[in-house]
Amino acid sequence: MTTVRTDSALPVPAPDVNPDTAEFWAATQEGRLLVTRCSQCGEAVWYPRPICPFCHSTDTVLEQASGRGTVYTFSIVRRAPGEWGQATPYVLAYVELEEGPRVMTNIVDCSVEDVYIGAPVEVVFFDTGEGAALPRFRLVDA
Amino acid sequence: MSISGQAFLAGAFEHPGRELPDESLAQIHATVCLGALADAGLTMDDVDGFFCGNDAAGAGWISMADYLGLRNLRYMDSTESGGASPIYHVSHAASAIVAGKCSVALVSLAGKPRTGTNSGPGPLKVPEDGFEGRMYGVAGATSTYALAARRHMHEYGTTSEQLAEIKVAATIHASHNPNAFLRKVMTVEEVVGSPLIADPLHRADCCVVTDGGGAVVVVSADVAASLARDSVKIMGAGEAGKIVNGGKTDLTYSGAVWSAPRAFEEAGVTPADVDYVSIYDSFTITVLMMLEDLGFCAKGEGGRFVQDGALVAPHGRLPFNTDGGGLANNHPGHRGGVTKLIEAVRQLRDEANEGVQVPDCQIALVHGNGGDLGTRMRSATMILGREDS
Ligand SMILES: [Zn+2]
């Protein structure tokens, strides 16, 4: 369990929480990253939902992920509209979780030039102030 | 049942404007619809099928039908598939014609991103909200297409200079087009020297932002035979959706790997038979990846394929987007589908601009990608031939 931070250098918009995702977002407030696991075929599923998109079973559970992964791909965003424009340059990325799914996120707490494909990362949470915390990732030593 | 040879593109019209502050969105639709019908030798009262996407003003097809005075409609379709929508519309119109549901179908697209706003519906509440997009600073499509470009470079050694070759070819073509938004030929050095928007994509890797629109008319064989103008034969069409697939995201390919074989099979031709391609070119990386996925080169070979002027008309190995495409000519409503159809019609009628007409152009491929190379997308491929082919 990691702590939920309030010192984000990036905007922290609130998600649209719905019945599919309420349990996921509640866990983020405790610094826990959950991933849907299908009880039938065993696949990990991203984003959270009660139907497995692989075998179409509705027998799924949210389980705790390790919070570790590697960078699958990334972009250094240098022009952006609105409040994100104040935060440039920042890193938009896909992180491949240890559990398998590749998730869209940001890489934070580093120089944008330090990010590379394959870099090991771990999750950090940033409080939206509206009942959810956003999972982002930071570089860790290999 | 196949649509091959059963439906024809009889008219095509591209709005000549690129900045239209004094025209309403609906008016631009009206201009291009009238233009395409006049090109075909038909009138609004001949139209019994109408197709538009979310770029149309108002509530789908009914608002535009009302505005245009389309009183004889018997087949309507507001399929929304992003920038590829018009290619879906032509495909669906051909199927409707084969089924006897209509005989003159009008397909329209317009937008005003340069001087106004599109009046389509606002953002929908999508199920993936919170896990993509606005939460993580996705800044327009450039940032997510950059994710695909970066991965392509990592896996296959593709370079920014190779991507730049695509822009260079587009600007060479646009220099022959008096209506093109960019008319100055760019060099590879100028493309890679333009400011980075989202690494590794530069400003010049992106399409232009323009107002405008275009329309095409799809007709039955009987109607085509009755018209004075040469029509263009629809030989085959393929559609596909590429989903994010529960997190098994792979950004190295697009839905064209499925839509293209479907279109080629229906048309009974292969990539080697294609004389000209219109490929929706939202970004340089889009074209490079489509060349691979459409079957013009092996996966990972796109970068090498585009070198040495392969895409440059009239004598390159595979001339593309001879109007200048979205990269240099026109990208009305941030949607490239209709202009791709229109330039293919021009090529197959020998009506392309002087200097870029492909000699003896018999078969053209049109491909559109709607949605996002970095997440989920719709793909539509169409094979077109001369009326008498
Ligand atoms: Zn399953």
Side-chain angles (χ1 to χ4, degrees):
Chain A
M1 180 161 156
T2 53
T3 53
V4 174
R5 286 163 50 177
T6 55
D7 61 340
S8 178
L10 300 178
V12 192
D16 172 37
V17 179
N18 67 38
D20 284 0
T21 60
E23 183 182 347
F24 175 93
W25 290 115
T28 62
Q29 290 188 283
E30 301 165 1
R32 296 188 300 122
L33 182 70
L34 304 185
V35 173
T36 299
R37 177 76 66 182
C38 176
S39 303
Q40 283 295 318
C41 72
E43 291 276 8
V45 172
W46 189 266
Y47 50 91
R49 71 197 81 167
I51 181 172
C52 168
F54 301 108
C55 74
H56 310 111
S57 166
T58 53
D59 184 8
T60 63
V61 291
L62 279 162
E63 67 175 28
Q64 185 150 347
S66 73
R68 290 186 295 271
T70 54
V71 174
Y72 169 70
T73 189
F74 69 100
S75 171
I76 304 171
V77 182
R78 298 181 187 274
R79 305 290 172 94
E83 58 179 353
W84 287 89
Q86 312 299 314
T88 56
Y90 58 89
V91 175
L92 174 71
Y94 272 107
V95 161
E96 182 175 313
L97 301 178
E98 281 188 340
E99 291 74 17
R102 292 167 177 167
V103 309
M104 189 179 285
T105 188
N106 303 113
I107 310 298
V108 298
D109 292 353
C110 63
S111 161
V112 296
E113 309 294 342
D114 292 342
V115 180
Y116 61 95
I117 289 178
V121 294
E122 69 180 9
V123 71
V124 280
F125 287 94
F126 294 92
D127 191 10
T128 65
E130 296 181 47
L134 290 191
R136 288 175 171 145
F137 288 78
R138 67 179 171 210
L139 301 175
V140 293
D141 292 335
Chain B
M1 195 188 304
S2 169
I3 62 168
S4 192
Q6 306 293 309
F8 295 77
L9 284 160
F13 183 83
E14 179 185 10
H15 200 295
R18 301 292 180 265
E19 295 199 19
L20 304 167
D22 300 325
E23 295 189 26
S24 74
L25 180 62
Q27 182 184 3
I28 300 171
H29 277 279
T31 300
V32 297
C33 286
L34 287 168
L37 287 166
D39 183 51
L42 294 164
T43 71
M44 290 283 187
D45 282 341
D46 294 317
V47 174
D48 60 358
F50 182 65
F51 297 71
C52 61
N54 277 1
D55 54 272
W61 62 267
I62 188 64
S63 293
M64 287 310 308
D66 188 61
Y67 183 92
L68 296 170
L70 293 170
R71 60 194 130 235
N72 298 325
L73 296 183
R74 56 194 184 106
Y75 196 93
M76 299 70 92
D77 181 341
S78 306
T79 291
E80 168 53 34
S81 284
S85 296
I87 305 171
Y88 282 84
H89 295 156
V90 172
S91 171
H92 297 177
S95 295
I97 286 168
V98 169
K101 299 291 186 185
C102 61
S103 60
V104 175
L106 181 60
V107 175
S108 184
L109 178 149
K112 294 187 55 165
R114 188 154 196 90
T115 63
T117 56
N118 284 327
S119 79
L124 303 171
K125 277 206 171 166
V126 291
E128 68 272 17
D129 184 73
F131 302 95
E132 294 174 12
R134 66 186 180 91
M135 319 300 292
Y136 303 104
V138 167
T142 316
S143 54
T144 46
Y145 279 64
L147 296 172
R150 171 87 64 184
R151 188 70 200 184
H152 204 278
M153 290 175 164
H154 176 79
E155 294 212 15
Y156 307 116
T158 307
T159 66
S160 291
E161 286 73 16
Q162 289 170 332
L163 291 175
E165 294 279 2
I166 296 165
K167 179 73 164 206
V168 170
T171 61
I172 290 170
H173 296 158
S175 72
H176 296 273
N177 180 354
N179 293 326
F181 187 78
L182 295 180
R183 296 213 54 209
K184 184 182 166 295
V185 175
M186 294 186 78
T187 65
V188 167
E189 293 69 32
E190 286 171 334
V191 174
V192 300
S194 66
L196 283 163
I197 303 297
D199 303 23
L201 297 180
H202 307 79
R203 171 163 291 156
D205 287 298
C206 306
C207 50
V208 299
V209 176
T210 55
D211 298 342
V216 293
V217 184
V218 190
V219 303
S220 65
D222 288 348
V223 172
S226 74
L227 299 172
R229 289 274 275 141
D230 279 348
S231 293
V232 162
K233 183 189 289 183
I234 298 171
M235 299 174 65
E239 301 175 13
K242 185 190 176 200
I243 59 175
V244 166
N245 200 21
K248 293 187 188 295
T249 304
D250 183 342
L251 301 190
T252 60
Y253 70 96
S254 76
V257 299
W258 302 299
S259 65
R262 289 166 189 162
F264 279 116
E265 184 186 358
E266 188 168 49
V269 299
T270 71
D273 298 314
V274 174
D275 301 305
Y276 163 80
V277 290
S278 277
I279 298 177
Y280 182 13
D281 51 346
S282 47
F283 300 91
T284 53
I285 182 64
T286 325
V287 177
L288 186 134
M289 203 178 290
M290 296 311 144
L291 289 167
E292 298 171 351
D293 295 347
L294 293 166
F296 294 106
C297 63
K299 177 51 63 183
E301 293 294 319
R304 280 172 284 280
F305 183 89
V306 302
Q307 288 179 314
D308 310 322
L311 300 178
V312 180
H315 299 302
R317 234 183 322 159
L318 187 68
F320 96 123
N321 298 3
T322 41
D323 59 335
L327 288 169
N329 169 35
N330 192 12
H331 192 221
H334 299 309
R335 297 181 154 217
V338 83
T339 48
K340 300 297 160 293
L341 288 160
I342 292 168
E343 184 66 3
V345 169
R346 291 190 189 113
Q347 280 287 352
L348 291 166
R349 283 172 161 175
D350 289 326
E351 292 173 354
N353 288 308
E354 205 178 330
V356 295
Q357 175 66 48
V358 175
D360 192 30
C361 186
Q362 295 288 331
I363 295 179
L365 176 146
V366 178
H367 181 77
N369 171 53
D372 198 326
L373 216 52
T375 55
R376 59 192 64 73
M377 71 186 77
R378 311 87 158 187
S379 297
T381 310
M382 186 160 286
I383 313 289
L384 303 173
R386 289 179 179 250
E387 182 172 4
D388 56 4
S389 64

